[in-house]
Amino acid sequence: MSTAEEAQGDPACTGQLPHAASSGPVSHAVSRVARLHRIAAGKLLKGLGLYPGQEFVMMRLWDAGPLRQSELIKAADLDPSTVTKMLQRLEQSGHVRRCPDPADRRAVLVEATERSCALLSDVSEAWAQLEEHTLRGLDEDERRDLTRLLAK
C-alpha cells in the first residue's frame, strides 16, 4: 500500500476526526502527518540501507566532524541506548568509526568514514524527494507559510 493510499483512509486526510481527538484537532493532524512522513522517509532511506533517524546522526557528523558519542546523544535528543544501537548499525555498514577520544580515554569519538561520503549525496537526494512528496499540492506561498508556522 502506498503512502497516498494509506492517507486516503486516514482521518487526518479525510476531515473525519475521532471524537476523543475533538479537543485537539491540530495535535491529531500533526501526529498523523508525522506518522505518514516517517513512513515515507523510511521507504526512501531503506533504499540507502539506513533506518529512520540514522540520517540525522550522519548529517550531524558530516557537518560537525568527529564528535563524542555523548554529544551525539544530546544532539539527537534520543535515549542513549537508541543512539548506541544506531551507531552499531552504522559502524557495521561502514559509515561510522568509533574510537577512544585521545583527550579523554573514557569517552568515545564517533566520525563519519570516507565511505559514508558517497551516502551524503544520496541522503540529500532522498530528503529532496521527501520534501517534494510532503509538499506536493502546495504552492510556493503555502510552502513558506507552512515552514513559518511549523517554526513557531
Side-chain angles (χ1 to χ4, degrees):
M1 180 181 297
S2 74
T3 306
E5 289 169 333
E6 291 172 29
Q8 288 176 347
D10 190 322
C13 298
T14 62
Q16 299 170 0
L17 190 63
H19 178 72
S22 62
S23 60
V26 172
S27 293
H28 182 265
V30 167
S31 176
R32 301 296 279 180
V33 167
R35 183 182 64 79
L36 292 171
H37 189 266
R38 186 170 173 86
I39 290 168
K43 288 177 181 177
L44 288 169
L45 294 169
K46 185 178 182 179
L48 303 178
L50 294 175
Y51 293 92
Q54 289 179 330
E55 79 278 21
F56 289 112
V57 169
M58 294 307 306
M59 287 177 191
R60 182 76 176 156
L61 291 172
W62 289 322
D63 288 349
L67 292 172
R68 286 187 175 172
Q69 187 166 327
S70 59
E71 292 172 331
L72 270 177
I73 289 168
K74 286 178 192 170
D77 196 26
L78 295 170
D79 185 81
S81 63
T82 301
V83 176
T84 298
K85 183 71 171 175
M86 282 183 180
L87 291 174
Q88 287 171 345
R89 286 181 170 162
L90 289 167
E91 192 171 37
Q92 288 170 355
S93 64
H95 297 305
V96 301
R97 177 176 25 260
R98 293 187 285 181
C99 59
D101 183 344
D104 179 356
R105 303 297 266 171
R106 297 169 296 171
V108 174
L109 274 182
V110 182
E111 64 182 335
T113 62
E114 204 165 304
R115 177 179 178 190
S116 79
C117 293
L119 191 60
L120 186 134
S121 63
D122 293 338
V123 168
S124 295
E125 177 58 30
W127 272 77
Q129 290 175 23
L130 183 60
E131 184 83 355
E132 191 51 42
H133 172 78
T134 301
L135 301 177
R136 189 175 301 135
L138 299 180
D139 65 32
E140 287 304 315
D141 288 338
E142 291 170 323
R143 290 175 182 215
R144 273 192 299 280
D145 288 345
L146 179 60
T147 302
R148 180 183 55 77
L149 290 170
L150 290 172
K152 280 185 140 184

